[in-house]
Amino acid sequence: MPLFVTIVLDGAGVGDAPDAAAYGDVGADTLGHVVRQQAPHLPNLTRWGLGRLVDGLDGTSAPAASWGRLTERAAGKDSTTGHWALAGLVLETPFPTYPDGFPADVIAAFCNRAGVDGVLGNRPASGTEIIAELGEEHERTGQPIVYTSADSVLQVAAHVDTIPLADLYRMCQVARDEVCVGEHAVGRVIARPFEGAPGAYQRISAKRKDLSLLPPGPTLLDTLRQRAVRTVCVGKIAALFGGVGVDQEVKTAGNADGVDKTLGAIRHAADSGEPTFVWTNLVDFDELYGHRNDPAGYAAALEAFDAALPDLEAALPDDAVLLLTADHGNDPTYPGSDHTRERVPVLRFQRGAEPRDLGTADSFAAHAADVARYVGIAWDGTAPTPD
């Protein structure tokens, strides 16, 4: 029974991108800096071979998993670009970004179609910081908080008692369908509800909603479904593909929940005997620690995942594959709070397989090729196609 499980440690880069200078990210090395500065206890990731990829961990012992790296060839360093490339769809043109905020005509169109008399913010910002800064004014005026980042995103934040959740979702859907189109077709429009009182606002991560641009071509997910391989997406994966090619979306509330629901998906696949691809994103590394320049928190999250790895390993049926990778870097020690252009790790565990050095692939699409080969799908170098 084919079962391939990929877990994306969101933002867990390993540095050394050949084009880092073009992105202003020379010297960024997410896992390397966290490991060397914080010295997290990672016995299981080390046992798997992370030390072959990251200085600061033991790299001399014989690994239990194969190890390697992927090089991003797609234009951009956002989550959508990274995940699409992992699925074999490599963008040649980057999504638009807005380092000075959105143009006046975009904001005017949003206000007109969303039915609001103005917005607050309209600049790149940390979500927690801009909510803390503008939340009280938002509650007073009823105007939503609009912000972006180095990623191609339009984010709309609103207090659930000021703009009800259904209205926030409607505004974001309007932005996706009618405003962020053409030259302003951002990768994602994100609804960011929050609650609480001034000075103690809290984002409601479980109610976040991502509205992704639909993939412009076929991806690994499409082809797997065509070949009767069930696709189960845990965390934000399904949102990044607009649900295209997804049989089951499993939403999560952070890393621990993501691990638990991945275990559930593995056990269900093992019990059913149905060929399955489980694709999980663990977002906390990126959202809670990378973007917030919190290397200590990042290290603690790595330790928590490391402690969960034996349970994931034990749940795998014979011949199943569990692969760990990332979608970009987000070095919490690097200046700024944005994603960083880095290579990403690959640790590939398959019980009974001889661990080996996988080398450094020249594209994230090597991941899609690996999954395709495992389930017996021909590969043409870009997107998987049926035999």
Side-chain angles (χ1 to χ4, degrees):
M1 184 275 294
L3 172 61
F4 198 112
V5 182
T6 295
I7 298 180
V8 175
L9 310 182
D10 199 312
V14 289
D16 194 35
D19 57 357
Y23 291 83
D25 292 331
V26 173
D29 181 4
T30 301
L31 290 183
H33 286 151
V34 169
V35 164
R36 291 189 290 276
Q37 291 188 18
Q38 302 296 318
H41 182 55
L42 305 175
N44 295 302
L45 287 166
T46 301
R47 175 174 56 85
W48 270 37
L50 187 59
R52 299 292 178 101
L53 304 173
V54 176
D55 291 338
L57 296 174
D58 176 24
T60 61
S61 301
S66 295
W67 67 97
R69 303 185 302 172
L70 305 178
T71 306
E72 179 66 290
R73 184 165 59 85
K77 56 179 180 177
D78 57 278
S79 292
T80 301
T81 297
H83 283 80
W84 285 8
L86 288 168
L89 182 59
V90 179
L91 295 179
E92 301 296 336
T93 303
F95 292 122
T97 56
Y98 299 89
D100 300 315
F102 295 96
D105 60 332
V106 172
I107 295 299
F110 173 77
C111 291
N112 179 54
R113 289 166 172 79
V116 295
D117 61 9
V119 303
L120 304 175
N122 188 27
R123 64 178 186 269
S126 157
T128 52
E129 290 176 3
I130 201 167
I131 288 168
E133 176 190 347
L134 298 177
E136 195 168 359
E137 184 179 357
H138 156 70
E139 290 193 86
R140 185 175 67 253
T141 65
Q143 295 179 342
I145 301 169
V146 172
Y147 63 104
T148 186
S149 71
D151 286 353
S152 181
V153 294
L154 183 149
Q155 305 196 66
V156 185
H159 195 290
V160 290
D161 292 337
T162 301
I163 297 178
L165 201 58
D167 290 340
L168 175 61
Y169 289 165
R170 177 189 58 80
M171 290 178 182
C172 290
Q173 192 66 61
V174 165
R176 175 75 283 169
D177 294 342
E178 303 178 27
V179 180
C180 296
V181 296
E183 65 176 311
H184 299 299
V186 296
R188 283 179 293 162
V189 175
I190 306 177
R192 289 285 199 174
F194 64 97
E195 61 188 353
Y201 290 128
Q202 293 290 328
R203 293 198 297 191
I204 311 174
S205 295
K207 300 294 185 181
R208 162 181 169 164
K209 187 171 185 178
D210 290 51
L211 301 170
S212 179
L213 195 68
L214 297 183
T219 73
L220 172 71
L221 295 173
D222 300 306
T223 304
L224 291 175
R225 292 187 76 193
Q226 292 169 6
R227 293 292 296 270
V229 177
R230 183 169 177 78
T231 57
V232 180
C233 293
V234 181
K236 72 179 186 181
I237 303 283
L240 296 174
F241 290 83
V244 177
V246 179
D247 283 312
Q248 181 182 2
E249 177 182 8
V250 182
K251 295 185 177 180
T252 62
N255 282 5
D257 190 38
V259 169
D260 286 344
K261 288 177 176 173
T262 301
L263 281 166
I266 292 171
R267 290 165 181 153
H268 181 271
D271 290 342
S272 71
E274 185 175 12
T276 303
F277 174 52
V278 178
W279 197 358
T280 295
N281 177 283
L282 299 182
V283 72
D284 288 355
F285 298 107
D286 180 74
E287 185 175 82
L288 299 185
Y289 309 115
H291 284 304
R292 299 185 189 182
N293 301 117
D294 183 358
Y298 204 118
L302 284 172
E303 290 184 336
F305 177 73
D306 185 272
L309 192 55
D311 289 339
L312 290 162
E313 189 177 333
L316 291 174
D318 290 341
D319 298 325
V321 173
L322 174 57
L323 184 146
L324 309 180
T325 190
D327 53 341
H328 49 69
N330 196 341
D331 189 339
T333 74
Y334 203 72
S337 58
D338 297 318
H339 295 163
T340 41
R341 184 74 163 189
E342 302 178 43
R343 287 187 166 115
V344 299
V346 172
L347 292 174
R348 188 187 193 277
F349 176 83
Q350 187 173 20
R351 193 173 290 109
E354 185 68 25
R356 61 188 180 90
D357 184 352
L358 300 173
T360 298
D362 64 0
S363 173
F364 281 18
H367 164 263
D370 186 13
V371 180
R373 282 192 300 269
Y374 173 79
V375 298
I377 295 175
W379 177 256
D380 66 6
T382 53
T385 55
D387 287 335

